[in-house]
Amino acid sequence: MNQQDMTIYDGATIITVDPQRRIIRDGALAVQGNRLAAVGKSAEVRAQFPTARRVDISGKLVFPGLVDTHVHLAQALIRGCADDMDLIPWLTERVWVLQGNYTAVDGRASAALCIAEMLKSGTTTFLEAMLAGRYGLDGIGEVMVQSGIRGIMSKIVMDIAAYADGSNAMYPGMVEERETSMRQALEAYDRWNGAGNGRVQVWFGPRTPGGVSVDLYQEMVREARQRDMGITMHLGEVQADVDFMCREFDTTLVGFCDSVGMLGPKTVLVHTVWLSPPEIARLAETGTSISHNPSSNTKLASGFAPIPEMLDAGVNVTLGCDGGPSNNSYDLIREMKLAAVVHKGRTLDPLVVPAETVLEMATINGARALGLEDEIGSLEVGKKADFVVLDMDRPGLTPSPNPVSTLVYAAMGSDVDTVVIDGQVVVQGSRLLTLDEEAVVAEARQRAAEVYERAGIVITPRWPVF
């Protein structure tokens, strides 16, 4: 093995999330190309590769790159546009109106802003949920490749321009015809799937039942199976979704997904707040993953997803931040803390959803949901070199008797020092290397102002401004 192009990161505490869940004190990672060549004690790795280049990360904490399984790239530009609002007006009066006034240049600027935030806070892989054609899929794909991130673009599929029961029509700028939405999804797959040395994938991102006809769901599933494409969809976010399904189809939400062939290992259902025990059992039986979004669910008062019950049933539970209007942050480290504490309050049991379980949700479970568990999600020899280095020399992280608990309960994305994806250093010294951060922020600020102006929406503080 040629050691001249190898780098050893040594002296750190390493949370491997490997099958033994090893935590290695004074540990090292050897990176050869885009793969991990060794994971172990620093002295042993250095002895194995004595001529490799060394990077001293003594005293720092290393863990697998985080996997965010529910991201709205286009919503970073409208962060804070609909705070403290009910879901329906949140959608129909603010979010859809603003997004319906996007140009492709706006979509690219929002994606760059979102990706910059994710990278700097330790997210190395993401699953985007619902990209509309008007956001400019090519521009977004270009930013993904340039940034070095690993991610999945999911294209909206729809043919009904209403929300659930039809009483809340979509903003015209958000409406796509059936043929257009499917064609754009398949064109994006042909153009971008496998780009960036395989870092970019393309999935389907259909709207929820009520926004897509039964036969379009079935067509989409057929196309997905032929290409081994994944599917991600919001499901059971609010009680109204359950009522609609019962009234219109006389079945459950999961039962409907089952009937159109959507359940399976490469399907990620999002939110899943309002599911019954039989539905949870069916998710486990079919290997369908769910994305838990605690900040979004609590901020929009959607309810508490039955995460302890899902975990007990064997469902693959992952973690997502959602979007700028529903979370205001794309920091998955912060999201881990809420995921760990909110269910303790709901169940009155401090033992449910411990820190270790939440870290699994944000790493190996997320990788499994995307069909990437053999490549990412843990630090093991032969896997891709996707990892995060956390600066532990911070008052808020000191002392640290249990590094997993420190990471989940005390850390924030701003504590991230270094991020490596596919063997490439993309963040170093908390500085983004692959995108011009100043330019990204400046353009996002300008584009956001233009979108608000076109939409005719003015956001002002509730308190007087002098």
Side-chain angles (χ1 to χ4, degrees), residues 69 268-269 272 283 288-292 307 310 315-318:
T69 55
V268 178
L269 300 176
T272 57
L283 293 180
T288 304
S289 297
I290 72 104
S291 178
H292 179 37
I307 298 304
M310 291 186 185
V315 176
N316 185 49
V317 179
T318 70

Side-chain angles (χ1 to χ4, degrees), residues 76 79 111-123 328-331 334 413 432:
R79 188 193 319 266
L113 181 67
C114 181
I115 289 170
E117 182 180 356
M118 287 193 289
L119 287 175
K120 292 193 67 176
S121 56
T123 291
N328 303 65
S329 169
Y330 293 91
D331 181 345
R334 292 203 325 192
L432 186 58

